[in-house]
Amino acid sequence: MASEADFPLRQPLHFRQELSMHDHPIRVTTERYGHVAAVTFANATNNHINLPLLRALADVLDRLDADSNCRATILRSEGKIFCAGADLTIPNALGEEEGESFGASTIKFYRQAVRLFAIRKPMIAVVQGAAIGAGLGLALAADFRIAAPEARFAANFVKLGFHPGFAISHTLPRAIGEQRAAMMMLTGKRLSGEDACAWGLADEIASLDDLLDAALALAGEIAENGPLGVEATRATLRRKLVEDVRAATALEAVRQAELDGTDDFAEGRRAVHERRPGRFERR
């Protein structure tokens, strides 16, 4: 287990951003551990992702990308849930302006998501609880995922009568293979932390108390290497990923716009909210 002594250059909080949206404060904070930066986000109880939070995360990670003293980042969230998906419960959750179509607002949202994949430095996601829908997509933007046994991973879009987004249609098969990705996307199946590790979706399992230490240990192993070599190797491993993610989100936005406003999507949202199977009409 990593200890404070392993990261003697830990610095106090040096960046904090708070946004107010429908009386729910959004927070993005960073803390430094030597050459590693931990970025922590929060959005009310379930850490839903929306355009302001996604833009704030991308802005912070861009700053760290330009910081020569930062060699690896950790992405984590406050509370018991990593990210319960896109916020569909309030108006303008994706940032749409008055009169703007769902498709146009989704494209704006995914434009910020693409920025996460364009980051040059390695990133480790710490998943302490549910990573659902767009929350799973957010975790897949990282190079590695360290999960607690209590973690839950799901691409539950079909349970909403909807199409996967956040580039999951590309990044999930890339991470675990096409067959297992199809299993998750077509059934909405949830994976525990242990199952995610067995499937290759998570890279390590650690207890809730040890999650940050485990992430710091892995990030420290990366950060002790030559930064130019690490960035060059990562660029080779992720070659064309940004272009593929951009293409995937463009297609996903079209498919999602087609399904927005359908009876299936309305029933799916009701069913998920009421914690019951959807009663979809046969057509």
Side-chain angles (χ1 to χ4, degrees):
M1 180 189 304
S3 68
E4 188 86 3
D6 296 316
F7 302 93
L9 297 182
R10 175 172 177 170
Q11 299 169 357
L13 183 69
H14 70 88
F15 178 80
R16 185 179 188 90
Q17 181 166 355
E18 293 201 17
L19 304 169
S20 178
M21 187 174 186
H22 295 266
D23 299 321
H24 296 300
I26 293 169
R27 293 185 301 280
V28 178
T29 62
T30 64
E31 196 166 19
R32 296 297 289 266
Y33 300 79
H35 291 301
V36 177
V39 178
T40 305
F41 67 91
N43 181 17
T45 303
N46 295 318
N47 290 323
H48 284 111
I49 194 82
N50 52 37
L51 180 60
L53 176 54
L54 191 54
R55 182 182 289 119
L57 284 174
D59 287 347
V60 171
L61 289 167
D62 275 345
R63 294 184 190 193
L64 293 171
D65 229 25
D67 182 351
S68 60
N69 286 319
C70 178
R71 299 181 182 178
T73 59
I74 293 169
L75 179 66
R76 59 199 294 257
S77 63
E78 296 180 9
K80 295 181 178 180
I81 292 173
F82 175 73
C83 176
D87 193 343
L88 299 174
T89 63
I90 59 175
N92 303 318
L94 299 180
E96 59 262 41
E97 299 173 359
E98 186 175 355
E100 187 174 51
S101 69
F102 177 89
S105 63
T106 304
I107 290 170
K108 286 167 53 177
F109 181 76
Y110 289 150
R111 188 176 297 129
Q112 298 303 315
V114 171
R115 292 176 62 195
L116 301 184
F117 291 92
I119 298 300
R120 295 178 293 105
K121 295 174 182 178
M123 180 165 60
I124 300 161
V126 173
V127 183
Q128 77 277 29
I132 309 297
L136 172 62
L138 182 61
L140 284 165
D143 300 80
F144 305 102
R145 285 153 293 282
I146 296 179
E150 293 85 350
R152 295 293 181 268
F153 297 83
N156 69 333
F157 299 89
V158 292
K159 291 190 177 296
L160 288 160
F162 210 41
H163 187 283
F166 215 101
I168 284 175
S169 61
H170 176 76
T171 57
L172 189 59
R174 186 177 185 272
I176 64 175
E178 291 187 3
Q179 197 66 14
R180 283 178 165 170
M183 176 74 76
M184 289 187 69
M185 286 189 283
L186 295 180
T187 66
K189 177 183 180 70
R190 285 193 176 205
L191 297 185
S192 67
E194 291 94 339
D195 288 340
C197 199
W199 280 31
L201 183 54
D203 300 281
E204 294 183 19
I205 293 289
S207 70
L208 288 171
D209 290 339
D210 294 335
L211 274 176
L212 179 57
D213 281 348
L216 286 170
L218 177 55
E221 285 188 63
I222 295 169
E224 71 182 12
N225 298 311
L228 296 179
V230 167
E231 288 187 25
T233 302
R234 183 178 184 269
T236 299
L237 291 172
R238 290 165 70 98
R239 63 190 178 278
K240 287 190 61 188
L241 179 60
V242 174
E243 291 84 352
D244 289 341
V245 165
R246 187 175 289 113
T249 53
L251 178 57
E252 289 169 350
V254 170
R255 295 287 184 256
Q256 289 181 332
E258 291 171 350
L259 293 170
D260 178 53
T262 63
D263 292 340
D264 271 13
F265 189 31
E267 166 58 15
R269 291 173 68 176
R270 283 193 299 268
V272 169
H273 178 72
E274 296 169 8
R275 299 180 181 275
R276 61 170 172 81
R279 295 188 285 268
F280 299 107
E281 296 283 337
R282 275 180 133 359
R283 292 179 178 82

